[in-house]
Amino acid sequence: MSKPGQMVLVALRKMIASGELAAGERLMEIPTAERFGVSRMPVRMAFVTLEQEGLLVRHGGRGYQVRSVSADDIAGAVEVRGVLEGLAARQSAERGLSEQAQAALRECLVQGDALFDKGYVTEEDLEAFHDLNMRFHQVIVESSANPAIAEALARNDHRPFASVSALAIDREDMAREYRRFNFAHMQHHSVFDALVSRQGARAEAIMREHANATLRYAEVFGAISHGERVKVISRGE
């Protein structure tokens, strides 16, 4: 996707997650292109991607409509992701990590330590965590050598906010967000230890629990229903 397309995609995803674009709101190509100062093609590509992600639905052949998303929708998809990633971790541990995979995971841990060791996080820190978190998860899935897991995860990613490619944060309580994401990072350390120790059951259990961190999205949508606002970091793949 082009740079303008990525810009529109990320912006719209943020607006949907924060509630700025409410469920049922219509989106048309021309007004959206004018809003972001781009041509219609990047907007069209962004709409198609958001439809694939389960955030937009076509509306009468003309334009799109923001899909209604419930906390239960998100929780169910996150649980499925936890099961799949847990299976990937168990199979990776049983097979044994390659030296290359171990090095990639260690690099993610070192980078994460640098973000959290200072005792607080900024929004920029959490953007960096987003990137290393995606790499960490990807390495584990690839190390399972089970393409069915990656295929199932790709399908599940079409559920709203089921993917690890987006982070929702509450900018009004960054101290809480530090605790939440630091805990998730500590889980990375724990699962890495289980993987290199070839403890498959332990690695699986940690990854399944680790998925619960994404259940913050359920809280986000609960907050939206009560008229609160949140800041969402959502990065394009």
Side-chain angles (χ1 to χ4, degrees):
M1 185 179 292
S2 66
K3 274 192 173 182
Q6 285 285 359
M7 181 270 291
V8 174
L9 172 64
V10 171
L12 290 176
R13 196 186 285 131
K14 288 179 181 179
M15 294 165 72
I16 293 169
S18 68
E20 184 176 348
L21 289 174
E25 188 163 346
R26 291 189 62 186
L27 294 174
M28 305 291 289
E29 282 185 14
I30 294 177
T32 303
E34 292 174 349
R35 180 175 193 167
F36 291 105
V38 298
S39 66
R40 295 175 62 179
M41 182 56 70
V43 172
R44 186 175 305 158
M45 298 304 296
F47 283 175
V48 169
T49 300
L50 291 171
E51 181 186 21
Q52 292 171 345
E53 292 179 0
L55 297 178
L56 295 180
V57 293
R58 292 185 182 272
H59 186 272
R62 295 187 61 190
Y64 289 81
Q65 193 171 44
V66 178
R67 177 181 172 183
S68 176
V69 180
S70 72
D72 287 343
D73 292 334
I74 298 167
V78 168
E79 184 175 4
V80 170
R81 178 163 64 82
V83 170
L84 292 170
E85 291 188 332
L87 175 61
R90 177 169 64 79
Q91 294 186 343
S92 295
E94 291 171 350
R95 288 177 53 85
L97 291 176
S98 67
E99 291 184 5
Q100 182 180 8
Q102 288 193 40
L105 293 176
R106 283 196 182 96
E107 182 180 2
C108 291
L109 295 178
V110 169
Q111 292 175 350
D113 289 344
L115 293 175
F116 295 106
D117 281 353
K118 62 183 181 294
Y120 65 91
V121 288
T122 64
E123 293 180 16
E124 290 73 21
D125 291 331
L126 294 182
E127 289 178 353
F129 181 75
H130 162 276
D131 293 339
L132 70 87
N133 183 58
M134 284 196 66
R135 290 198 302 275
F136 191 89
H137 285 245
Q138 183 178 11
V139 170
I140 293 175
V141 172
E142 291 175 350
S143 295
S144 73
N146 186 343
I149 295 176
E151 291 169 5
L153 281 168
R155 288 194 296 272
N156 193 58
D157 284 350
H158 293 301
R159 305 290 299 175
F161 299 104
S163 172
V164 296
S165 66
L167 298 179
I169 68 170
D170 182 354
R171 63 183 176 186
E172 302 301 322
D173 195 350
M174 292 298 287
R176 179 189 180 191
E177 298 299 71
Y178 168 80
R179 293 190 298 270
R180 184 166 68 96
F181 285 103
N182 184 48
F183 179 73
H185 180 60
M186 291 301 101
Q187 288 179 317
H188 283 180
H189 276 280
S190 295
V191 76
F192 177 75
D193 179 69
L195 289 168
V196 297
S197 301
R198 304 191 72 164
Q199 298 172 327
R202 179 174 170 235
E204 180 175 18
I206 295 169
M207 284 301 287
R208 291 186 67 163
E209 174 61 27
H210 183 56
N212 287 335
T214 311
L215 290 178
R216 172 61 175 153
Y217 286 118
E219 298 176 27
V220 166
F221 277 85
I224 290 171
S225 68
H226 287 88
E228 301 172 20
R229 296 302 298 274
V230 296
K231 165 71 181 290
V232 173
I233 296 174
S234 183
R235 305 280 293 279
E237 283 77 353

